[in-house]
Amino acid sequence: MSAPWRARGPLGRLLLGLVLVLGGGALGLAAGTSAGAAAPAGCQQGNLSKQEAIDQLHEVRLSIDRTLRLLDAGDREAAFAEARAGYLDCFESVEAPLDVVAGTDFRFEVEDIFARVRGLIDSGAPTAEIRERIVQLRGLIDESERELTSTGVGAPMLAFGQSFTLLLREGLEAVLLLSVLLTYLESSEHSRHKRPILYGVGLAVLATVITFFAVDALFSVLPFGREVLEALVGLAAVFMLFYVSFWLIARLDQRRRMEFLQARVWKAASVGSVTSLALIGFLAVYREGFETVLFYQAMFSFGDGLEAWILAGMAAAVAVLAVISWAVLKLGRTLPVKRFLTVALVIVMFTSIAVLGNAMRALQEAAILDLRYLEGWPSLPIYLAQATGYYPTLPSVLAQGLLLTVYVAGAVATLVIKRRRANGLPPAASSTTSAPTPVSV
């Protein structure tokens, strides 16, 4: 979608204002009056406080949703009347408090899209073209609410905590795997092969950074709306988080995976294959890196206005990982891995639920899924809604409820099965090829 035209300078804004007023009035005589649309019941006229303006934006969203429904039903006169009422009777009262915090340029940008929607409806433009403008308008209404809303305390802390935990968990796993590989090489008298593994790890870190920016570049060339792409990345991240969550439940000790990697290292070191050793180091770390890219793409996509807190969480995690890496790789210290992974498991699960709610919301904003507001359900401030993924719409609530149910049922079943197996089976014999690891589980 092309960026909307903005009025430049006082003269441009004056001309745009005259066009909107005169054009809206003339079009209203032609179509709005005949449809007989009444002002939305929840809208107030006159001066509004910030909170009243925020509440009124919900009524604007409902009006936009009704406009799209009427268009899909083929009733263009009613759709035009609804679009006109949603602007004149609802959004116009929000403009004064919005001007104070966002400036007149932003307000004119929103007005312009409202006018374009009405003009496209009246001119008989294809519904797909009007839908594209409505998707753009929905995004601007969300941005209007962000301008009027304080970030508060809860949303930044959630964004920081999610970001910190995700990177720390992925980084810690990579550090532990690297520690196991290097320790094994030392104990098996293959310490000369450390360097190829470290080269592979370095390439994996570089590839992770490249992947992050490559995804952004891919977004710019794919023939889909940004909202759809963000939703797809969010759903992919949810799938990975879902997989990681149950992997953590079943493999809190990581022992089998580490033994598998040790066997691969032993085989590569025995034949002196530098390429194989570098590939082992690369794959062991890049898998974590790819998951991290996916997670953070989703977090940044759905974290408008919270980016600084997401970056702060990343920076804090990097600092902690630097200390942990030094302690583990240089000093050979042990870590309470199982305890940390248990806590991380819960945060990862709730993060995936938040990402799913936001992904479903993006599909609704893009008019892929129908917006079904749940009457009587509470709404959260927009920043807190972004951090939790909770929106009072049927698709979002239903998807989050189902995922939460699956997590609870799966966690209970997995832990019960694991406990029964632990009580019913003798301890597994230690592997003759496994070297002592510096991790404590």
Side-chain angles (χ1 to χ4, degrees):
M1 289 182 294
S2 60
W5 175 83
R6 292 190 182 191
R8 300 292 182 182
L11 181 58
R13 288 195 289 268
L14 177 60
L15 291 174
L16 177 58
L18 290 172
V19 169
L20 292 174
V21 172
L22 297 177
L27 291 174
L29 290 174
T33 305
S34 62
C43 291
Q44 304 178 49
Q45 302 296 311
N47 296 327
L48 301 180
S49 65
K50 274 190 179 182
Q51 187 55 53
E52 288 172 337
I54 292 169
D55 294 340
Q56 189 133 310
L57 285 175
H58 177 65
E59 299 299 327
V60 175
R61 292 188 180 97
L62 292 176
S63 176
I64 294 171
D65 186 40
R66 286 192 295 268
T67 300
L68 185 56
R69 288 174 186 272
L70 290 167
L71 276 172
D72 289 336
D75 192 345
R76 292 212 163 214
E77 285 193 359
F80 178 88
E82 181 62 52
R84 183 174 181 273
Y87 170 70
L88 292 177
D89 299 323
C90 280
F91 185 77
E92 206 169 43
S93 299
V94 177
E95 291 178 346
L98 185 60
D99 282 350
V100 174
V101 295
T104 55
D105 280 350
F106 176 76
R107 188 246 296 175
F108 274 109
E109 182 178 342
V110 184
E111 287 180 343
D112 176 55
I113 303 302
F114 267 113
R116 287 173 184 265
V117 168
R118 295 196 303 273
L120 289 171
I121 294 172
D122 186 62
S123 66
T127 300
E129 185 179 351
I130 304 172
R131 181 180 284 108
E132 184 176 330
R133 290 297 181 183
I134 285 177
V135 168
Q136 191 176 0
L137 183 58
R138 283 172 168 169
L140 288 172
I141 297 303
D142 285 348
E143 183 59 31
S144 298
E145 184 172 347
R146 277 188 285 269
E147 293 286 352
L148 290 165
T149 306
S150 168
T151 56
V153 176
M157 290 300 99
L158 280 172
F160 177 89
Q162 291 166 351
S163 176
F164 175 81
T165 304
L166 284 173
L167 184 55
L168 185 60
R169 189 198 67 76
E170 296 289 341
L172 178 59
E173 188 176 343
V175 169
L176 294 177
L177 289 173
L178 180 60
S179 173
V180 168
L181 297 180
L182 296 180
T183 301
Y184 177 70
L185 286 174
E186 286 184 355
S187 65
S188 59
E189 300 181 352
H190 290 291
S191 58
R192 66 185 182 279
H193 294 302
K194 283 184 179 181
R195 186 165 292 181
I197 287 183
L198 292 177
Y199 286 155
V201 170
L203 288 174
V205 173
L206 179 62
T208 298
V209 176
I210 293 173
T211 301
F212 184 87
F213 291 103
V215 171
D216 271 339
L218 187 63
F219 274 15
S220 64
V221 299
L222 287 176
F224 302 105
R226 182 82 185 187
E227 296 83 3
V228 176
L229 292 172
E230 290 174 351
L232 292 177
V233 170
L235 292 174
V238 168
F239 175 79
M240 293 299 300
L241 287 166
F242 181 85
Y243 168 77
V244 166
S245 298
F246 282 102
W247 184 86
L248 284 173
I249 292 174
R251 308 248 39 89
L252 284 176
D253 57 3
Q254 305 187 49
R255 194 167 301 279
R256 290 184 182 179
R257 186 183 177 201
M258 291 179 177
E259 289 176 353
F260 170 76
L261 285 174
Q262 287 171 344
R264 294 284 300 275
V265 170
W266 177 83
K267 182 177 179 180
S270 297
V271 298
S273 176
V274 173
T275 302
S276 296
L277 287 167
L279 187 61
I280 290 170
F282 178 86
L283 293 177
V285 174
Y286 185 68
R287 197 200 80 163
E288 314 299 332
F290 183 76
E291 291 175 359
T292 303
V293 167
L294 207 57
F295 300 158
Y296 278 103
Q297 281 290 346
M299 290 191 70
F300 279 113
S301 293
F302 304 129
D304 289 339
L306 298 172
E307 294 90 348
W309 294 98
I310 297 173
L311 290 171
M314 294 174 67
V318 168
V320 172
L321 279 172
V323 175
I324 290 176
S325 300
W326 178 75
V328 171
L329 299 177
K330 295 294 184 181
L331 304 181
R333 297 291 179 86
T334 60
L335 297 171
V337 178
K338 189 171 183 178
R339 186 179 306 167
F340 170 76
L341 290 180
T342 302
V343 175
L345 169 65
V346 177
I347 298 176
V348 165
M349 285 181 166
F350 279 107
T351 300
S352 67
I353 292 172
V355 171
L356 179 60
N358 280 310
M360 299 302 290
R361 172 70 171 177
L363 290 174
Q364 294 170 82
E365 292 274 315
I368 303 297
L369 295 177
D370 194 15
L371 269 170
R372 296 281 183 178
Y373 287 100
L374 298 171
E375 293 296 330
W377 285 59
S379 297
L380 295 178
I382 191 165
Y383 289 112
L384 194 57
Q386 291 174 184
T388 61
Y390 167 76
Y391 300 91
T393 62
L394 182 60
S396 295
V397 170
L398 184 60
Q400 287 187 310
L402 287 174
L403 184 57
L404 179 60
T405 302
V406 170
Y407 275 148
V408 172
V412 171
T414 304
L415 292 175
V416 167
I417 292 171
K418 185 176 180 181
R419 182 170 297 178
R420 287 179 178 176
R421 287 179 177 174
N423 292 336
L425 295 175
S430 59
S431 172
T432 58
T433 62
S434 298
T437 71
V439 296
S440 171
V441 294

